[in-house]
Amino acid sequence: MSQTNQAEAKSGWRRRWPLIKKILTYVFFALIVGLLIGLARNLDWAEVYKTLRNYQAQTLWMAGAAAFGSYLVYCFFDVLGKAYARHDLPIRQILPVTFVCYAFNLNLSAWVGGIALRFRLYSRLGLKPSQITRVFTMSVLTNWLGYMWLAGMIFAMGWIKPPASWEIGFTALRGLGAGLLVACMVYLWLCGFSKRRSWTIRGHEIQLPSLRLALIQLVLGAANWSLMALVVYFMLSQKAAYPEVLGILMISSIAGVVTHIPAGLGVIEAVFVAMLADEMSKGAIVGGLIGYRVIYFLIPLLFATLVYVVLEARAKKLRSSNQAGDQQTVSQETG
């Protein structure tokens, strides 16, 4: 192809790009709406109403406070990503984006909330794809580092005894816990003492954070999982011991990830019923978990949808403000 033809092809692509971008945006919105409708259809709303109606106000307030704390902690995952990706977005813009992504991630899968929404919202605020990838990587690592630390400690200490019918036994579970703790320690050692700080995998550079940042990851990740379990503990009316609830949540969450079911619908309930069958009735367990889903999944999703609409409406204005701030900073440094 001649240089003239190449130039004409690029020019034609630039002219068509705004229309293509608009079509892709409408398709994305339609996908989000479709997923929300599908999720709503899979819930027994009469049972949800009946379950919540029987709760005392104090229980709901305590569970709500724990859920709020969990979401707040998770929002700071992306604040860590700010330091890791070295971008200049203000924290006041990072927190609502992370809140929206987390709520959609929990309800509609990581592909929608964790990846698609992150790339769309952050790119509209001015971040480069490489920076968004680093923010996402930091968030995922923080979440699962906290999981491995907590689950490793709970399993290794023998706080959870799987039912006899399960293929994994008590000893194997303790061995798994020890392995998770070793993996955490290896990660911390690499962050603190490894001389090689980066690797390139399939064209993507992976860089180790500092030991200080890794320790903050561990604390924030563990805090998020602990608060999440506290919501379940309150919604089960505190009839099961908190360490046991935390351990069962660890098992059920990984089972939900393995099965690729959005929000782990049915998987979390099945694991909790199997593990708590000797302590509580099936109805009480399922009812409590329905309440947990409303408090931790659905109510935040409603707020996140509203926040998402606001972010979309204000994205251009915020991006212009960010670019103006960057230019002012550069002029001050050069002046």
Side-chain angles (χ1 to χ4, degrees):
M1 183 182 291
S2 65
Q3 292 183 351
T4 302
N5 291 337
Q6 289 179 350
E8 290 178 353
K10 290 181 180 178
S11 177
W13 173 256
R14 292 193 189 98
R15 288 195 303 269
R16 290 191 295 269
W17 173 243
L19 177 61
I20 296 173
K21 186 176 180 181
K22 184 178 292 187
I23 293 173
L24 289 176
T25 299
Y26 288 144
V27 170
F28 185 75
F29 285 157
L31 176 63
I32 293 295
V33 172
L35 289 171
L36 288 172
I37 293 174
L39 179 66
R41 286 179 175 176
N42 289 329
L43 288 173
D44 186 343
W45 291 99
E47 189 175 4
V48 169
Y49 173 73
K50 181 179 178 181
T51 301
L52 290 180
R53 186 181 60 185
N54 293 332
Y55 278 113
Q56 295 182 355
Q58 183 180 3
T59 299
L60 297 178
W61 278 111
M62 290 189 299
F68 177 82
S70 174
Y71 272 82
L72 183 61
V73 168
Y74 187 93
C75 285
F76 278 90
F77 287 12
D78 279 24
V79 176
L80 289 184
K82 171 183 171 72
Y84 182 64
R86 298 176 183 174
H87 66 74
D88 297 322
L89 286 186
I91 294 177
R92 66 178 181 275
Q93 293 180 21
I94 296 173
L95 296 182
V97 170
T98 316
F99 167 66
V100 169
C101 293
Y102 186 43
F104 276 78
N105 183 5
L106 287 175
N107 288 276
L108 303 174
S109 83
W111 285 104
V112 175
I115 300 175
L117 276 179
R118 254 194 186 88
F119 270 85
R120 173 165 180 80
L121 293 175
Y122 277 132
S123 62
R124 297 203 68 192
L125 292 175
L127 291 193
K128 301 175 182 178
S130 59
Q131 292 175 314
I132 302 172
T133 301
R134 283 195 166 197
V135 171
F136 173 69
T137 301
M138 175 57 64
S139 177
V140 172
L141 283 175
T142 302
N143 180 63
W144 289 110
L145 183 65
Y147 176 92
M148 289 191 298
W149 181 255
L150 270 182
M153 182 175 61
I154 292 169
F155 297 163
M157 295 293 290
W159 293 349
I160 294 294
K161 295 182 179 180
S165 59
W166 285 22
E167 292 184 5
I168 184 170
F170 179 70
T171 303
L173 194 62
R174 296 192 71 171
L176 175 62
L180 292 174
L181 290 176
V182 169
C184 288
M185 298 307 296
V186 169
Y187 176 75
L188 293 176
W189 184 89
L190 288 173
C191 291
F193 305 104
S194 176
K195 294 181 179 179
R196 184 177 178 180
R197 307 302 300 177
S198 63
W199 292 263
T200 301
I201 301 176
R202 295 184 178 180
H204 297 283
E205 183 182 7
I206 299 177
Q207 188 170 6
L208 284 175
S210 65
L211 178 59
R212 177 176 177 273
L213 199 60
L215 289 171
I216 296 175
Q217 281 184 275
L218 188 148
V219 172
L220 286 181
N224 180 50
W225 283 100
S226 299
L227 288 166
M228 193 188 310
L230 193 60
V231 180
V232 181
Y233 173 68
F234 286 137
M235 298 310 290
L236 291 176
S237 300
Q238 306 178 40
K239 293 181 179 179
Y242 173 74
E244 185 177 20
V245 171
L246 178 58
I248 298 173
L249 181 66
M250 300 281 101
I251 296 175
S252 63
S253 295
I254 199 64
V257 171
V258 171
T259 55
H260 299 290
I261 297 176
L265 283 172
V267 179
I268 294 177
E269 287 79 0
V271 174
F272 267 90
V273 168
M275 299 287 286
L276 293 177
D278 296 334
E279 301 178 39
M280 300 173 60
S281 67
K282 181 179 179 180
I285 297 171
V286 174
L289 292 175
I290 290 175
Y292 159 66
R293 288 191 179 279
V294 172
I295 296 292
Y296 198 81
F297 288 71
L298 296 183
I299 292 177
L301 181 62
L302 294 176
F303 283 107
T305 302
L306 297 176
V307 175
Y308 174 59
V309 172
V310 173
L311 288 174
E312 286 285 356
R314 298 189 60 200
K316 290 184 178 179
K317 182 179 179 181
L318 291 174
R319 180 168 184 168
S320 299
S321 176
N322 293 336
Q323 291 175 342
D326 292 341
Q327 291 176 358
Q328 184 177 2
T329 301
V330 171
S331 62
Q332 290 176 351
E333 292 177 349
T334 55

